[in-house]
């Protein structure tokens, strides 16, 4: 449905940049704008509209394993969900969905599970109104030479 709506639309890439800033820049970077939580999106336009829409509407379908969420259960019962960024000695570094870095002493970890899921919520693409979504796709297609179908 989102692809058919996009194909019938005349997206406004300038408005799409604003939609990106509002909905996507807290995790993704493109054109020097945004954060480095999820994948950087330089060149993403080469994927074409169908793949971009699929990646947004179903973020778990084509997810690179480097971006699988980890659920880290601490010995005190608290759970941290985020992307593992490595270690500094005996401290595990993770980044959560807000982009905040979490430093967890390894001695406090009871369980560290790889989920196979994206940090991007499964319903994320449906939370963006159709006109805004079309503008966003138009903006993304402008990065990497992709063209609207």
């Amino acid at each position: 449905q989102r692809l058919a709506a996009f194909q019938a639309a005349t997206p406004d890439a300038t408005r799409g940049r604003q939609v990106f800033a509002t909905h996507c820049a807290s995790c993704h970077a493109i054109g020097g704008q945004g954060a480095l939580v999820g994948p950087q999106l330089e060149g993403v336009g080469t994927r074409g509209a169908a793949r971009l829409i699929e990646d947004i509407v179903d973020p778990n379908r084509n997810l690179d394993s480097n971006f699988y969420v980890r659920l880290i259960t601490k010995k005190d019962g608290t759970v941290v969900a985020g992307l593992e960024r490595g270690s500094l000695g005996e401290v595990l570094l993770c980044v959560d969905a807000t982009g905040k870095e979490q430093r967890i002493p390894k001695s406090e970890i009871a369980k560290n599970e790889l989920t196979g899921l994206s940090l991007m919520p499964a319903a994320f693409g449906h939370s963006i109104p159709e006109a805004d979504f079309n503008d966003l796709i138009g903006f993304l297609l402008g990065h990497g030479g992709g063209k609207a179908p």
Side-chain angles (χ1 to χ4, degrees), residues 4-104:
F6 176 76
Q7 290 170 330
T10 304
D12 180 338
T14 301
R15 277 193 16 84
R17 176 183 298 278
Q18 295 167 345
V19 174
F20 178 85
T22 300
H23 294 283
C24 311
S26 62
C27 289
H28 298 282
I30 192 168
Q33 175 186 4
L36 299 176
V37 176
Q40 293 186 55
L41 300 179
E42 297 302 331
V44 75
T46 60
R47 292 182 177 186
R51 174 64 189 271
L52 286 173
I53 292 168
E54 179 180 286
D55 287 347
I56 296 168
V57 172
D58 188 2
N60 295 310
R61 181 176 288 184
N62 300 304
L63 185 62
D64 182 291
S65 62
N66 291 318
F67 296 100
Y68 288 163
V69 170
R70 289 195 170 270
L71 290 180
I72 300 162
T73 305
K74 295 168 66 175
K75 291 177 181 174
D76 68 4
T78 59
V79 177
V80 176
L83 301 177
E84 191 172 316
R85 293 293 194 218
S87 297
L88 287 174
E90 290 301 310
V91 176
L92 182 68
L93 302 175
C94 287
V95 62
D96 66 19
T98 67
K100 182 178 177 188
E101 185 177 84
Q102 303 285 326
R103 294 173 178 247
I104 307 164

Side-chain angles (χ1 to χ4, degrees), residues 96-148:
D96 66 19
T98 67
K100 182 178 177 188
E101 185 177 84
Q102 303 285 326
R103 294 173 178 247
I104 307 164
K106 292 178 183 178
S107 63
E108 294 180 11
I109 298 173
K111 193 185 304 183
N112 185 344
E113 301 172 278
L114 191 61
T115 66
L117 299 174
S118 173
L119 197 56
M120 190 160 99
F124 176 78
H126 298 292
S127 69
I128 302 172
E130 187 174 285
D132 291 350
F133 189 91
N134 293 336
D135 292 341
L136 173 63
I137 299 301
F139 168 70
L140 294 174
L141 286 171
H143 292 272
K147 302 278 188 247

